[in-house]
Amino acid sequence: MEGRNLALLTDLYELTMMQGYFETGSDQKQVVFDLFYRKNPSGNGYAIAAGLEQAMEYICNLRFTEEDIAYLEGLGLFSADFLAYLRKFRFTGDIYAIPEGTVVFPQEPLMRIQAPIVQAQLVETALLNIINHQSLIATKAARVIWAAQGDPVMEFGLRRAQGPDAGTWGARAAVIGGCCGTSNVLTGKLFDVPVKGTHAHSWVMSFPDELTAFREYARLFPNACLLLVDTYNTLESGVPNAIQVFREMRAKGMELKNYGIRLDSGDLAYLSKKAKEMLEEAGFPDAIISASSDLDENLIASLKLQGAKISLWGVGTKLITSDDCPAFGGVYKLAAEEDENGAFVPKIKLSNNPAKVTNPGIKKVFRIYDKNTGKIKADLIALEEETIDETKTLEIYDSNAKWKNMRLPGGSYTVRELLIPVIRDGEQVYESPSVMEIQAYCDKEKASLWDEHLRLNNPHIVPVDLSEGLMALKTKLIEEMSKK
């Protein structure tokens, strides 16, 4: 996708702080920021990382145009020297990130940014905007996919999305989360993902009668003939007319494939079961029965329990807006800064809310798997210099409940580091896979979770622990700060 310059996609205080660093001569001080989130959305047991491709695009295209400079000058806030500095601004730092499609958990860094403070400060807002939104939609899609129990799910929420970018990048995130395709043609073009769709009620209403409308649609699209049957009367008119058209197609010697009906209103469980009976009796047992109508993971799960005969789900508004949880809640916090000797000093933020106390220092994330099953046992946030010896016993505690512990004998587990370099010295060093490749990777990631982690309500929570070194450092800094 062609990159856009989003230099002004930022909060004003990022720019005023930048000028402060510049004017005080501290602008080139190296710092490390962590981008992470504190709580899984929608009561889920995990989240799906997404947005990295656009984040890298943003970083690599970051610059201030003359129009940007003129606008900032007109605000009357910024000095001529600072504006001159912005004319030459480029990001020159390093970024480590967890790849898109990875299962992630609260508190662990999704991105680690090391750069001069004036640069690291600027990118905060845009990175949060990108990662928060796309991770939210990918996670919501994963929930919907789980509820569908193997049935394909199509994303078609563009008209209800919060603007064109949210609809386009959100559809990409939904496909990463597991959707079989999207109705958004621009997303299909930009990211080479399947585009799918049927027709609207207006198509049926534009013809003298429903049967004529169905016949014309079948003539035009014989290999993708899904007929919307609820414009007038689903069981008395819509389904019988669809069956009539399918009979006529078969009589002409046409091979019926990718054909069926769509339900968009009414009691979907009842209507789908009755429609299935009618289609089978007419000799069309393999006809697709698709459904839409304000679906989400909870309604789909309920319909499955009721024995609905739906084989394709179209999910729009409640997916593309993450209706029940409209924000991901990612944050961007200073973790370390360079001192006068060039050494990094860990930093911590304290709070009366324990969940908002940050983890200090330059960190990485270890994922620990059961060696026999390949399932996730726990994650461990550790300091950059720390390692894990897989031949030795490992004890894991739940950082939110220290009385819960897990003892993993040496040789019973394997370890993977999650953060990888994506930007070095301001240059992209990681090539993002295709969206469909990311989806396949995400499927494997979800398969590494235990069933108890995947359920929609009250899921079992994967332990995320702090290494001994990180816990000791955090305790030391808390004690030191508490005495000030």
Side-chain angles (χ1 to χ4, degrees):
M1 182 177 181
E2 183 179 350
R4 291 184 295 168
N5 172 31
L6 299 176
L8 295 187
L9 185 68
T10 189
D11 294 304
L12 180 63
Y13 79 168
E14 309 289 14
L15 290 163
T16 56
M17 285 189 287
M18 287 174 68
Q19 177 165 276
Y21 299 136
F22 178 79
E23 298 289 352
T24 58
S26 62
D27 54 295
Q28 293 307 305
K29 177 176 62 177
Q30 290 282 320
V31 295
V32 175
F33 277 87
D34 292 334
L35 189 157
F36 63 96
Y37 72 104
R38 296 190 176 110
K39 184 180 179 181
N40 288 321
S42 302
N44 214 36
Y46 63 94
I48 300 294
L52 179 57
E53 180 174 316
Q54 190 182 23
M56 293 189 298
E57 173 193 301
Y58 158 72
I59 291 292
C60 292
N61 287 283
L62 187 55
R63 67 196 184 281
F64 289 87
T65 66
E66 286 302 317
E67 291 81 5
D68 295 337
I69 299 297
Y71 171 75
L72 293 175
E73 184 177 22
L75 295 179
L77 291 171
F78 302 105
S79 68
D81 287 346
F82 178 63
L83 293 175
Y85 165 76
L86 290 184
R87 284 189 171 91
K88 301 177 181 178
F89 183 92
R90 295 292 186 275
F91 184 87
T92 62
D94 299 339
I95 297 179
Y96 282 68
I98 294 178
E100 290 189 277
T102 304
V103 164
V104 291
F105 306 107
Q107 302 301 328
E108 52 196 30
L110 307 185
M111 302 185 82
R112 189 180 82 205
I113 296 89
Q114 180 176 328
I117 192 168
V118 71
Q119 300 176 22
Q121 195 71 71
L122 173 65
V123 301
E124 172 183 5
T125 301
L127 289 180
L128 284 171
N129 174 275
I130 293 166
I131 301 299
N132 277 339
H133 172 248
Q134 294 182 47
S135 297
L136 177 71
I137 303 306
T139 305
K140 185 67 170 180
R143 285 174 60 82
V144 173
I145 298 302
W146 184 89
Q149 298 178 25
D151 295 340
V153 175
M154 183 184 78
E155 183 283 320
F156 69 149
L158 177 58
R159 63 189 60 189
R160 303 283 175 77
Q162 316 293 12
D165 278 1
T168 300
W169 287 95
R172 177 185 182 276
V175 173
I176 287 174
C179 288
C180 66
T182 176
S183 67
N184 187 332
V185 180
L186 181 58
T187 296
K189 175 191 173 186
L190 293 176
F191 306 116
D192 193 25
V193 300
V195 289
K196 299 177 181 293
T198 56
H199 62 77
H201 295 102
S202 56
W203 171 267
V204 177
M205 296 164 65
S206 69
F207 287 86
D209 57 74
E210 187 176 56
L211 183 58
T212 302
F214 286 178
R215 282 172 171 157
E216 281 301 298
Y217 195 82
R219 182 181 67 82
L220 294 168
F221 305 103
N223 295 321
C225 186
L226 283 179
L227 303 174
L228 181 58
V229 295
D230 72 332
T231 304
Y232 302 120
N233 186 307
T234 300
L235 299 180
E236 297 297 324
S237 171
V239 177
N241 281 329
I243 290 172
Q244 176 63 27
V245 170
F246 299 152
R247 284 174 171 157
E248 292 172 0
M249 293 172 72
R250 180 176 285 171
K252 294 176 182 178
M254 299 172 64
E255 180 184 359
L256 294 178
K257 55 184 179 179
N258 298 321
Y259 78 104
I261 65 171
R262 176 161 74 97
L263 305 169
D264 189 50
S265 60
D267 186 331
L268 297 180
Y270 171 77
L271 291 174
S272 67
K273 286 185 277 190
K274 296 300 291 184
K276 181 68 171 176
E277 290 176 6
M278 296 167 70
L279 287 163
E280 287 187 341
E281 289 175 4
F284 303 102
D286 59 343
I288 295 167
I289 300 179
S290 65
S292 47
S293 186
D294 283 333
L295 297 173
D296 65 5
E297 66 270 36
N298 297 307
L299 182 50
I300 291 174
S302 175
L303 288 167
K304 298 289 281 188
L305 284 173
Q306 296 172 62
K309 299 300 182 182
I310 297 163
S311 52
L312 172 64
W313 306 85
V315 186
T317 303
K318 294 188 177 183
L319 169 53
I320 202 65
T321 65
S322 188
D323 179 72
D324 64 322
C325 182
F328 192 68
V331 294
Y332 187 88
K333 299 299 179 183
L334 182 65
E337 67 176 8
E338 189 180 38
D339 65 13
E340 61 276 7
N341 298 316
F344 277 99
V345 177
K347 307 293 288 187
I348 191 170
K349 174 187 176 293
L350 299 185
S351 172
N352 289 329
N353 182 345
K356 291 190 174 184
V357 177
T358 61
N359 293 317
I362 304 175
K363 298 175 291 297
K364 56 188 175 183
V365 182
F366 290 114
R367 175 145 298 163
I368 299 140
Y369 298 91
D370 180 89
K371 193 170 185 177
N372 293 324
T373 65
K375 301 288 188 180
I376 298 174
K377 296 293 288 185
D379 277 7
L380 187 69
I381 307 174
L383 295 174
E384 185 182 33
E385 64 273 15
E386 291 185 286
T387 60
I388 294 178
D389 185 345
E390 295 179 12
T391 67
K392 294 183 178 179
T393 297
L394 181 65
E395 289 205 49
I396 296 291
Y397 295 84
D398 187 332
S399 58
N400 295 314
K402 280 296 184 182
W403 61 91
K404 298 180 181 178
N405 69 307
M406 180 190 307
R407 186 178 178 86
L408 303 175
S412 70
Y413 63 91
T414 59
V415 176
R416 174 169 73 110
E417 281 193 43
L418 297 187
L419 287 164
I420 62 171
V422 297
I423 302 285
R424 284 196 186 276
D425 299 323
E427 299 293 331
Q428 184 173 329
V429 297
Y430 172 75
E431 188 66 32
S432 182
S434 72
V435 174
M436 301 313 293
E437 288 171 334
I438 299 172
Q439 184 194 76
Y441 165 73
C442 185
D443 288 344
K444 292 179 181 178
E445 282 288 291
K446 290 182 288 185
S448 71
L449 290 163
W450 303 82
D451 290 343
E452 294 83 358
H453 301 145
L454 291 163
R455 61 187 178 226
L456 297 179
N457 298 309
N458 299 314
H460 186 72
I461 302 302
V462 173
V464 177
D465 195 10
L466 306 185
S467 68
E468 289 185 8
L470 179 54
M471 179 56 76
L473 174 62
K474 185 173 185 177
T475 301
K476 176 177 175 288
L477 291 181
I478 289 173
E479 291 175 351
E480 290 176 356
M481 295 296 293
S482 298
K483 294 175 182 178
K484 291 184 178 182

